[in-house]
Amino acid sequence: MSRRLLPGIRYMSTNSIKRTMNDRPTPDELLTKIASYVHNTTIDSKLAFTTAKYCLLDTLGCGLASLKYSQVEKIIKPIVPQLGKIENGCQVPGTNYKMDPINGAFVIGTTIRWLDFNDCWLASEWGHPSDNLGGILAVIDFINRSNMGSTKPFLIKDLLEAMIKAHEIQGIIALDNSFNGVGLDHVILVKLATTAVVSKLIGLNEEQTVTALSHAFVDGHPLRTYRHSPNTNSRKSWAAGDATSRAVKLAYLVKDAQIGCIPSVLTTPRWGLYDTLFNGKPFKFNQRQQFQSYVMENILFKISFPAEFHAQTAVEASIEAHKKLNELGKNFNDIKKIRIRTQDAAMNIIDKNGPLYNYADRDHCIQYMVAVPLIHGRLTADDYTDEIAIKNNDIDNLRSKMYCVRDDQFTKDYYDPQKRSIANALLIELNDGTILDEIVVEYPIGHKFRREEGIPLLMSKFENHIKERFGDSEQAQRILQLSSENNFEDMPVHKYIDEYIMK
């Protein structure tokens, strides 16, 4: 039977019609790989657990230290007061807030990152894996308090293992994949890592964890705008809290609402993350293909200075230069010029001239972080405040005498997985023409190569933060005692956190 053809209409053969098949693909390999690691890998590295303990204590201490700043108090204050008094809610260390795990993750994550004074991971993508503790601690503490007596509580050892795995996920992906290279902020990896470990903590199975991870990747991701000149501001100090809070919400959405998986969130043509944000290029995993405990074992600690990590060695060099000037009977007023020889990453992030507008601007300026120790022989969190910066013209005058140069060998050693140095060198010329010997510091005191030297100082830093918040009280002494006991890992998490409640 023939068709009746209408005039003016162009017909095509049904054989030439392209049909889009709605076949659901299998989940992207990276999603399943991360989920399998979280659910099936046992961490048996003693070094990783030991390092994780120091990381936990240092991170909690830095969170306490942030609470003396008024802007932190305002940011973490519940919008609705009742949200800070949730029955069986997670406790926020250093406060009397009891919160649901989503808001608790934001608050804890914000406090621990505020001073930029704890751990760091430097690779193709830099970041702070301890940021994940915001979500991990909030969830574990919430579950323990909600299930009091009905189930076995999570112990400190469980918390440490979750930290090790979160560090590993964030750090391994960061090794060869630059999110900053396409304008994205590294807290995308905080959201991803927290989502993964929290999924298991709240009882999701491996398949559900894949679903949660797919949603972590499909979210809109923060731009790095707030970390760089001319837009640097305090968002960089609560961005990780925001990310880890979002991760907790996604995990609970999978558990409670059974939201569906987005299996090819990375690889689907046109709409996937690779095509949309990475010019069609998939993530690379050249150096380490397997998730284990490498990142925690090699994590960097900020011990002596609350300074962006690429400047840590520059600050050490500046302290040494301050001492040298004193020995010569001179001071910063005698300086004519300073050359800062540094790595490529520091040039991209913290080489900054011109006016500095706020705390966040100053703690991400290598010239500022070198100037303060040359003048005062110190660098503390208070040195970034308006009170110090605006009232002291000497800092900006000294900054104007500095310039940075990129050193190829420093950059090469920075990316070398066997070294991971963060070198800086200061060359100072005085007004009388004298040129001091260049001061070179390759590895900061928080580096793995300086662990033996650094850990006693790290514990002293922790003690100072505890006493600064709680005074020389019985409460402070109990925290310090419990933290040093041999059976620390066997303690229920909520029992330990009880000691941090502000009375």
Side-chain angles (χ1 to χ4, degrees):
M1 181 177 179
S2 61
R3 289 189 302 169
R4 181 183 177 186
L5 302 182
L6 299 177
I9 301 296
R10 182 180 179 185
Y11 292 88
M12 61 189 296
S13 169
T14 55
N15 294 330
S16 64
I17 296 176
K18 182 179 180 181
R19 300 180 185 276
T20 300
M21 301 304 293
N22 191 30
D23 294 330
R24 182 73 58 160
T26 57
D28 288 327
E29 181 182 2
L30 182 58
L31 305 181
T32 59
K33 191 172 182 178
I34 294 173
S36 177
Y37 167 67
V38 168
H39 284 271
N40 303 317
T41 299
T42 300
I43 304 299
D44 54 11
S45 167
K46 184 177 179 180
L47 174 59
F49 274 99
T50 299
T51 308
K53 175 187 173 179
Y54 291 127
C55 184
L56 171 64
L57 299 181
D58 185 44
T59 303
L60 289 172
C62 289
L64 296 178
S66 74
L67 293 169
K68 68 180 181 180
Y69 295 97
S70 61
Q71 190 175 16
V72 177
E73 291 182 346
K74 293 173 183 177
I75 287 176
I76 70 173
K77 184 179 179 180
I79 296 173
V80 179
Q82 289 81 355
L83 294 180
K85 301 176 182 179
I86 303 292
E87 185 178 0
N88 297 325
C90 67
Q91 295 282 353
V92 177
T95 76
N96 56 13
Y97 290 145
K98 296 187 291 184
M99 294 182 155
D100 69 272
I102 296 172
N103 283 305
F106 173 80
V107 170
I108 297 171
T110 296
T111 60
I112 63 182
R113 175 48 39 209
W114 189 264
L115 295 181
D116 199 6
F117 199 11
N118 43 337
D119 78 356
C120 188
W121 183 249
L122 304 179
S124 294
E125 183 61 53
W126 38 84
H128 309 279
S130 61
D131 291 340
N132 295 288
L133 183 64
I136 295 169
L137 180 58
V139 167
I140 285 180
D141 194 52
F142 176 75
I143 292 174
N144 275 8
R145 296 180 192 280
S146 299
N147 298 337
M148 202 80 75
S150 61
T151 60
K152 182 181 177 181
F154 286 109
L155 307 180
I156 293 292
K157 183 176 182 180
D158 302 314
L159 174 63
L160 298 181
E161 180 171 314
M163 289 176 64
I164 293 168
K165 290 186 175 181
H167 271 61
E168 190 76 355
I169 294 165
Q170 179 173 348
I172 291 298
I173 295 175
L175 281 177
D176 294 300
N177 300 289
S178 173
F179 292 80
N180 63 79
V182 295
L184 298 180
D185 193 39
H186 56 72
V187 296
I188 178 180
L189 295 179
V190 175
K191 178 171 55 177
L192 182 70
T194 298
T195 299
V197 295
V198 163
S199 292
K200 182 183 178 184
L201 292 172
I202 68 172
L204 300 189
N205 60 31
E206 196 170 333
E207 182 180 358
Q208 291 172 314
T209 300
V210 168
T211 295
L213 289 168
S214 74
H215 283 274
F217 268 125
V218 87
D219 273 358
H221 305 297
L223 305 178
R224 284 188 61 85
T225 316
Y226 49 81
R227 295 192 189 273
H228 295 278
S229 174
N231 295 294
T232 315
N233 75 16
S234 63
R235 181 174 178 132
K236 73 180 184 63
S237 297
W238 56 263
D242 187 52
T244 195
S245 174
R246 177 65 177 167
V248 175
K249 183 173 184 177
L250 291 174
Y252 273 104
L253 281 173
V254 173
K255 179 179 182 179
D256 296 335
Q258 300 178 15
I259 57 176
C261 187
I262 310 164
S264 57
V265 60
L266 300 174
T267 60
T268 194
R270 186 179 180 184
W271 309 115
L273 184 134
Y274 291 153
D275 275 5
T276 304
L277 298 174
F278 284 83
N279 301 313
K281 298 178 181 177
F283 294 152
K284 297 179 294 183
F285 294 93
N286 294 330
Q287 295 180 15
R288 287 185 59 86
Q289 297 293 331
Q290 302 300 319
F291 293 109
Q292 291 293 334
S293 55
Y294 172 80
V295 176
M296 183 62 82
E297 292 167 4
N298 290 275
I299 201 67
L300 301 163
F301 289 115
K302 293 184 182 182
I303 295 178
S304 301
F305 317 107
E308 203 280 340
F309 215 100
H310 296 93
Q312 288 282 318
T313 52
V315 178
E316 283 196 51
S318 183
I319 295 287
E320 187 175 338
H322 175 81
K323 295 176 182 176
K324 182 64 175 177
L325 288 171
N326 286 341
E327 291 172 1
L328 296 174
K330 298 182 181 295
N331 61 36
F332 66 93
N333 289 311
D334 297 299
I335 295 175
K336 177 182 180 180
K337 188 188 306 181
I338 302 173
R339 186 189 74 186
I340 304 174
R341 191 157 55 96
T342 190
Q343 349 86 33
D344 181 73
M347 295 288 292
N348 290 333
I349 304 172
I350 53 176
D351 177 18
K352 191 181 298 182
N353 297 296
L356 302 173
Y357 297 97
N358 50 51
Y359 186 112
D361 224 359
R362 298 172 195 126
D363 81 347
H364 270 54
C365 172
I366 192 170
Q367 291 87 349
Y368 190 94
M369 291 181 276
V370 167
V372 172
L374 281 171
I375 296 169
H376 300 295
R378 64 158 200 267
L379 183 64
T380 70
D382 290 340
D383 287 318
Y384 299 114
T385 62
D386 290 350
E387 184 177 0
I388 297 293
I390 295 176
K391 292 182 179 179
N392 193 341
N393 293 328
D394 291 332
I395 297 175
D396 283 343
N397 289 337
L398 193 54
R399 284 177 57 221
S400 69
K401 299 177 181 181
M402 301 181 197
Y403 67 100
C404 292
V405 296
R406 180 182 287 101
D407 186 280
D408 291 339
Q409 189 61 48
F410 284 178
T411 300
K412 181 180 178 181
D413 291 345
Y414 172 88
Y415 288 112
D416 186 336
Q418 302 304 317
K419 294 183 177 180
R420 300 220 171 274
S421 71
I422 311 99
N424 279 286
L426 300 186
L427 185 65
I428 298 176
E429 180 180 350
L430 303 182
N431 293 326
D432 63 9
T434 301
I435 299 178
L436 304 182
D437 291 340
E438 186 178 44
I439 302 173
V440 182
V441 183
E442 290 189 74
Y443 300 97
I445 198 167
H447 195 280
K448 181 182 179 181
F449 289 176
R450 297 176 68 181
R451 281 283 192 267
E452 186 174 344
E453 176 186 5
I455 291 302
L457 298 176
L458 188 76
M459 293 305 294
S460 177
K461 173 189 168 189
F462 172 65
E463 181 175 349
N464 290 339
H465 285 158
I466 294 296
K467 291 184 176 181
E468 183 179 51
R469 187 61 180 172
F470 299 110
D472 195 12
S473 62
E474 290 184 9
Q475 182 177 7
Q477 293 303 322
R478 282 198 308 273
I479 292 173
L480 296 173
Q481 177 63 34
L482 290 171
S483 302
S484 62
E485 288 182 354
N486 292 333
N487 62 347
F488 175 68
E489 291 187 5
D490 299 324
M491 188 175 186
V493 172
H494 66 288
K495 291 292 186 182
Y496 181 62
I497 296 302
D498 277 345
E499 302 296 339
Y500 286 79
I501 298 173
M502 201 68 181
K503 309 300 183 185

